[in-house]
Amino acid sequence: MTEEEFDAFYAAAFPRLTGQLYAFTGDHGEAQDVVQEAFIRAWDRRGEFLADGAPEAWIRTVAMRLAVSRWRRARRWLEVVRRTPPPEHTAGPDPDRAALVAALRKLPEAQRMALVLHHLCDLSVEQVASETGAPLGTVKARLSRGRTALARELAVGEGEREREDDRVR
């Protein structure tokens, strides 16, 4: 089967196979996924398809087996989850981290990206420039301006917390 023949076969068979697998799985998205995966596997065998004489049956069989395999995997995962007790208590983020995230959100995106990549992801200034596509000097300026703005935001946030603590007392 040539690429053009495979494309025509795909266009004709995909909707039909998806409908059949939807009836089998009860989930349209899952049906589309397994049929698509079956077609991907068939792509490597497209030369053998005309000799087999039943390419749609082959894809349907593969898609059904994929659906059953996914269902079994999901069932096993569910059994593991049910046997694992939930944690007693999960602590929320500490106040300093929440304040940092809130302050970072107030910065322009370019400054925030530079600060996160450089200080939290431990990338060098050169790596930040490469990842963002910005010139080296621009990254340095963003880091400098971002640190200044971040310090200002954190200082404002600290002052608000102190006033709040005084009200509580």
Side-chain angles (χ1 to χ4, degrees):
M1 187 179 284
T2 66
E3 289 183 23
E4 292 79 23
E5 290 171 329
F6 188 87
D7 289 346
F9 169 63
Y10 174 85
F14 183 82
R16 186 172 41 254
L17 288 166
T18 300
Q20 293 166 359
L21 268 291
Y22 173 57
F24 180 68
T25 64
D27 181 337
H28 192 259
E30 181 72 10
Q32 288 176 321
D33 287 349
V34 294
V35 170
Q36 186 67 37
E37 179 64 29
F39 269 104
I40 290 169
R41 292 180 184 193
W43 176 256
D44 293 331
R45 299 171 167 251
R46 69 185 181 281
E48 305 164 19
F49 267 15
L50 285 180
D52 290 344
E56 193 167 324
W58 186 90
I59 290 179
R60 182 175 29 261
T61 301
V62 170
M64 289 183 129
R65 287 179 180 164
L66 286 167
V68 169
S69 178
R70 287 180 175 194
W71 179 79
R72 286 179 179 154
R73 227 175 300 133
R75 191 179 68 192
R76 280 193 301 271
W77 179 83
L78 186 58
E79 290 170 1
V80 168
V81 168
R82 285 182 178 160
R83 282 184 270 155
T84 305
E88 291 295 323
H89 174 70
T90 303
D94 73 340
D96 291 338
R97 184 172 188 89
L100 175 62
V101 170
L104 281 168
R105 284 186 182 148
K106 293 180 182 178
L107 300 181
E109 183 180 346
Q111 291 176 8
R112 182 173 59 242
M113 175 76 76
L115 287 170
V116 167
L117 290 174
H118 184 65
H119 293 289
L120 299 179
C121 298
D122 292 325
L123 297 183
S124 68
V125 175
E126 291 80 13
Q127 290 170 317
V128 173
S130 173
E131 191 155 320
T132 60
L136 193 60
T138 302
V139 171
K140 289 178 180 178
R142 288 174 181 170
L143 286 169
S144 176
R145 291 180 185 132
R147 283 190 289 259
T148 301
L150 186 61
R152 193 173 333 125
E153 287 295 331
L154 290 172
V156 167
E158 184 64 32
E160 290 173 0
R161 272 189 287 188
E162 287 174 2
R163 284 193 299 272
E164 191 174 301
D165 288 344
D166 289 341
R167 282 186 289 221
V168 172
R169 292 182 195 158

